[in-house]
Amino acid sequence: MSENAKETFRPDAPPTPAAPVPPTTPAPSALRARVRSLGPSMTRSVQAVAEAVASDPAGCAQLTVSALAEHTGTSEATVVRTARLLGYPGYRDLRLALAALAAQQESGAAPAVTVDIAVDDPLADVVAKLAHEEAQTLADTAAGLDLTQLAGAVTALATARRIDIYGVGASALVGQDLAQKLLRIGLIAHAHQDTHLAITNAVLLRPGDVAVAVTHSGSTGDVIEPLRTAFERGATTIALTGRPNAPVAHYADHVLATSAARETQLRPAAMSSRTSQLLVVDCLFVGVAQRTYETAAPALAASYEALAPRHQTSVPTGKRSSTTR
């Protein structure tokens, strides 16, 4: 998006999506991640097609566009529209991806483990189920991450004069993690979870600055408002979200999609979303550190040296007193 486009943006105008990035066909392994990520924004008919191809790639790969439409109770136009929404130029490309995904699964992938946790589950089962879901969340996020968008975000952060990061709730913790990492390599980064403070800082941003919004839902007003303010001021804007078509994307130059978590009674979505967000944060940090290595390496060394005395504690030699004080 050009700086001129930002300068003529009118706050009272309806939101306009950011300029599209040249399309890239997702890898077959990214299909399920795309379906989970885009599911909440799909119409009922499109969702029916998407869920069918994600749950039975081998079977759907054998179907013509008309056969799949009949199988899902939709239309041929809906099938084609679903293929394009998932990132494929047409249904033929989607069928090829489904065939490749089916071949991958047939080559020896382990059977899926249910992640539903019951109130009376043994602790060992809880550990196994959570570990499986966390691993799947990371795999889904890595498979669905747009490397073009990631590279653009890394470049913006590496050359930024100043970086503001917005997030609330669990996403605020992720924002603080990103700010801390960037500070350790010598960049000026601040994380804000207070909306008033975020907005008052955002109005001071200008071209050359970067604003980052962390919101799993993509519709959190307390995060969108400061990002929109930064966008209007000409700063480069980045969104980390599990809903790439959500309102936050309207004010983002770079959208980094995280895995869409499945919420259960004993496992709120914030747990999986945090895992996927932290993976993207680490990708951003390493990418920026690579780009700024000449300054980042000495900054990291200096911070390690400064903190080293804090990690040295004397081991007590006495026994714990049995007297309660």
Side-chain angles (χ1 to χ4, degrees), residues 36 116 133 216 260-270 272:
R36 292 179 66 184
D116 292 329
E133 177 67 3
H216 177 64
R262 185 167 63 87
E263 188 166 345
T264 62
Q265 184 177 6
L266 293 179
R267 192 173 193 280
S272 282

Side-chain angles (χ1 to χ4, degrees), residues 197-218:
L197 186 60
I199 294 174
T200 55
N201 277 270
V203 297
L204 301 177
L205 298 181
R206 60 177 188 262
D209 297 329
V210 172
V212 182
V214 185
T215 164
H216 177 64
S217 69

Side-chain angles (χ1 to χ4, degrees), residues 26-29 57-58 61 93-107:
S29 58
D93 303 275
L94 175 59
R95 284 185 71 182
L96 291 174
L98 291 174
L101 180 57
Q104 290 176 3
Q105 294 176 341
E106 193 176 338
S107 65

